[in-house]
Amino acid sequence: MKIASFKAGPTATYGLVTNAGIIDAGKRLKDWPTLKTLLANGSLDALGALQSERPDYAFAEIELLPTVPDPDKIFCIGVNYATHLAESGHPTPPHPMIFTRFANSQVGGGQPMIRPLESERFDYEGEMAVIIGKAGRRISRETALAHVAGYACYNDGSIRDWQRHTSQFAPGKNFVGTGAFGPWMVTTDEIPDISKQTIATRLNGVEVQAAPISDLVFDVPALIAYCSTFTELVPGDVIVTGTTGGVGAYRTPPLWMKDGDVVEVEVSGIGVLRNPVKDEVVAAAATRAA
């Protein structure tokens, strides 16, 4: 199944993505008004029963939200492809390099990724995201995939100069609206082996990144085992698995995203996460107040 979170008018909900449109699950499954609550109750099967229903909305009638708009935790994995390790000059780490994102740093598919006022060094990072469907602590590598609900595309948009203020990445990864998550989650029954998929990033139609998921330094089971050792993973948590080589910061000259650009992240078997890039606009009154 493909499952998206979205807004129809003022109402935030989620539903099944079909070729003909979206079936609103939130209005039908009232005990589980969000994708996170559905996952927390182990009720993915309830969505399957809706697949024969008529779509409620055409894609043009809705606004996609981040696949999980309200995750408890978002873990991002740094330099987790060999090609990105090589271009960045980092040695292969003995453990995953982890930083966190906040929910308000994300937008959904089709929504603008925002280049903030403070920097022009806005970089793309095409990634694959893992959505947790079953809670667990100290999960073994052997049982890790049983805790996965599905996979999505992710663009870990980075404000490079702020990322490098110190050895901690968080400031450069959490400007509002700089990351993208979507356009939907594909459940694991459709992708039994995510390592066999490929990932690519395109900027204005030109491919700038490409790799097989199997090139991850720490694969999905390893990341779940590691993260669940220091915290409990709960349904709706997101692990963003890292980007491959080809980021803009290491090109000559550097390639930064700018207003008017369109960036796409495609993971085979999942789909294409497409977002325009817009400069941040601050109202004149707010600027005067600051």
Side-chain angles (χ1 to χ4, degrees):
M1 296 181 288
K2 292 184 175 70
I3 308 166
S5 295
F6 64 96
K7 286 180 72 174
T11 304
T13 183
Y14 69 102
L16 285 171
V17 176
T18 74
N19 291 335
I22 296 186
I23 300 167
D24 189 341
K27 78 173 185 180
R28 291 172 170 82
L29 305 175
K30 298 186 184 299
D31 288 340
W32 310 304
T34 67
L35 177 54
K36 187 170 81 168
T37 57
L38 180 89
L39 294 174
N41 282 276
S43 300
L44 268 178
D45 288 347
L47 278 179
L50 303 179
Q51 292 185 85
S52 62
E53 302 215 6
R54 183 173 180 174
D56 298 280
Y57 304 104
F59 293 109
E61 298 176 300
I62 60 100
E63 174 186 327
L64 287 168
L65 298 173
T67 300
V68 183
D70 54 345
D72 188 65
K73 297 179 283 295
I74 306 166
F75 296 115
C76 297
I77 314 302
V79 286
N80 197 29
Y81 280 83
T83 50
H84 192 37
L85 282 167
E87 71 179 0
S88 63
H90 287 89
T92 301
H95 305 290
M97 182 188 295
I98 295 178
F99 56 93
T100 56
R101 266 193 178 267
F102 307 132
N104 73 344
S105 72
Q106 305 177 127
V107 298
Q111 303 308 305
M113 294 175 67
I114 304 301
R115 185 173 73 166
L117 299 174
E118 288 77 9
S119 178
E120 294 184 351
R121 298 181 182 182
F122 190 18
D123 207 347
Y124 52 83
E125 290 195 21
E127 311 201 17
M128 183 271 295
V130 177
I131 297 96
I132 299 298
K134 178 184 174 185
R137 181 81 197 280
R138 299 186 177 93
I139 299 166
S140 70
R141 177 183 174 86
E142 292 71 26
T143 63
L145 294 180
H147 292 260
V148 178
Y151 305 98
C153 304
Y154 205 96
N155 192 333
D156 185 30
S158 303
I159 308 305
R160 292 298 188 195
D161 44 350
W162 280 72
Q163 177 186 341
R164 293 168 177 162
H165 281 179
T166 72
S167 61
Q168 304 301 311
F169 288 179
K173 301 288 189 170
N174 280 289
F175 277 82
V176 173
T178 51
F181 181 19
W184 43 65
M185 177 183 86
V186 175
T187 51
T188 55
D189 58 308
E190 293 199 18
I191 310 178
D193 187 353
I194 191 64
S195 71
K196 295 185 182 300
Q197 306 306 310
T198 59
I199 188 167
T201 306
R202 294 180 289 272
L203 186 62
N204 300 322
V206 177
E207 185 174 273
V208 289
Q209 293 182 291
I213 301 294
S214 60
D215 277 358
L216 285 170
V217 176
F218 297 100
D219 63 9
V220 172
L223 295 175
I224 290 173
Y226 186 82
C227 291
S228 69
T229 302
F230 66 82
T231 190
E232 181 185 24
L233 294 178
V234 298
D237 282 354
V238 182
I239 300 176
V240 188
T241 55
T243 198
T244 187
V247 298
Y250 295 112
R251 292 174 176 268
T252 305
L255 178 62
W256 307 122
M257 296 191 293
K258 62 187 184 303
D259 187 86
D261 285 349
V262 176
V263 59
E264 299 173 313
V265 177
E266 180 171 6
V267 179
S268 62
I270 296 174
V272 178
L273 172 64
R274 182 180 294 107
N275 297 88
V277 177
K278 298 292 184 186
D279 283 346
E280 183 178 13
V281 176
V282 178
T287 302
R288 288 195 298 271

